[in-house]
Amino acid sequence: PTQDSWVWDHFPAGQRWKELVDKHGKNAIDAMVRSSNPRYYSAFTSSHSATLSHTFDEEALSASKPPIVVFYHITYPSNEKEKAVTAIQAQFNVLSMGRYDNAAKSFDRERKILLYYTIAGVTTRGNELVSQLCKKHSDRIICKEVGMYDTEFASGETLRQLHTFCNANPSSNAIYITNQLADVVTSKNRYDATKVEAATLAVVSKMCHPSEECNVCGTEFYPLPFVHFTGNMFS
């Protein structure tokens, strides 16, 4: 946009982006990443293989009432552990209730949830928590582990799994959720359980379902400062 464009005043952090574009031009995004706080980390692990060997549950997907497929990126941070745990518990509660039918104002419990999850920032407590929640809700949620990473910054690995699944199952819908609000600037609100729960409920609902007119859905869509949905969750 030009320097006098309405865009800079309309979107979040517009003035900051205006300064960066004026100073760095096409390299503005790189400059923003390098100056970000916390400092930049790769979203992928150094040991990543370009070819994923994981096999998805084809039998469940081909059932007469196939489950709702959800890819869940779980971050277990070195700080704010309690907030992260509360957010995880809230999301499992949402998933265990099934898909919310906005028209009927009730939950559809006919279809189970097929949950492919990744844990970033692996600890004994974090692993045990997820195992316990999977066991507690085993009547509603089919849990499948697809990745464990020591670093808490490996968010891109779950998206790689999602991409692989969608390529292998082009006619299937899939949902992506995370317990970390990636679009929140201040870390104190990054694991806000109320907001995490609301975003999860929205993308799992029947209303948030891809159609011929739109092949992706989320709570709110923003083109700036980067293309994203609120909470970085989508269907």
Side-chain angles (χ1 to χ4, degrees), residues 39-48 73-79 118-123 127 147-158 179-180 191:
R39 72 178 182 83
Y40 171 71
Y41 291 90
S42 173
F44 306 100
T45 59
S46 58
S47 60
H48 170 75
H73 182 78
I74 300 171
T75 300
Y76 199 70
S78 54
N79 56 1
T118 296
I119 298 180
V122 173
T123 65
N127 293 357
M148 291 281 185
Y149 303 98
D150 292 332
T151 173
E152 63 189 79
F153 304 102
S155 58
E157 298 298 341
T158 312
N179 68 316
Q180 178 180 264
Y191 300 95

Side-chain angles (χ1 to χ4, degrees), residues 44-235:
F44 306 100
T45 59
S46 58
S47 60
H48 170 75
S49 171
T51 303
L52 299 173
S53 60
H54 181 77
T55 301
F56 297 104
D57 196 335
E58 300 298 335
E59 182 178 350
L61 294 172
S62 61
S64 58
K65 288 186 178 180
I68 299 166
V69 178
V70 178
F71 281 80
Y72 185 17
H73 182 78
I74 300 171
T75 300
Y76 199 70
S78 54
N79 56 1
E80 298 189 284
K81 288 184 175 67
E82 297 306 318
K83 289 184 178 180
V85 166
T86 302
I88 294 168
Q89 292 171 330
Q91 287 179 295
F92 265 91
N93 287 336
V94 169
L95 295 175
S96 69
M97 291 187 290
R99 172 163 274 183
Y100 184 69
D101 187 332
N102 304 77
K105 295 184 179 180
S106 62
F107 288 91
D108 177 5
R109 297 179 62 84
E110 291 187 6
R111 298 170 63 191
K112 292 186 176 183
I113 300 290
L114 179 54
L115 186 68
Y116 293 110
Y117 71 90
T118 296
I119 298 180
V122 173
T123 65
T124 301
R125 183 189 176 191
N127 293 357
E128 290 178 349
L129 170 68
V130 175
S131 296
Q132 290 169 1
L133 289 170
C134 284
K135 184 177 181 180
K136 177 182 178 181
H137 300 292
S138 60
D139 61 324
R140 298 289 312 142
I141 304 173
I142 306 167
C143 290
K144 302 284 185 180
E145 175 203 318
V146 293
M148 291 281 185
Y149 303 98
D150 292 332
T151 173
E152 63 189 79
F153 304 102
S155 58
E157 298 298 341
T158 312
L159 292 171
R160 285 191 190 275
Q161 296 282 6
L162 172 62
H163 184 259
T164 300
F165 173 86
C166 290
N167 281 336
N169 303 275
S171 62
S172 296
N173 293 324
I175 297 168
Y176 177 83
I177 63 172
T178 172
N179 68 316
Q180 178 180 264
L181 298 171
D183 54 334
V184 173
V185 177
T186 55
S187 60
K188 67 179 181 179
N189 294 322
R190 189 160 290 172
Y191 300 95
D192 186 318
T194 301
K195 293 181 179 178
V196 169
E197 182 180 25
T200 304
L201 182 61
V203 298
V204 175
S205 71
K206 281 191 172 183
M207 181 175 287
C208 195
H209 191 276
S211 64
E212 292 182 1
E213 290 77 25
C214 185
N215 63 2
V216 65
C217 172
T219 50
E220 294 175 304
F221 176 79
Y222 290 99
L224 290 174
F226 46 81
V227 176
H228 70 288
F229 284 104
T230 298
N232 192 31
M233 301 186 216
F234 51 87
S235 172

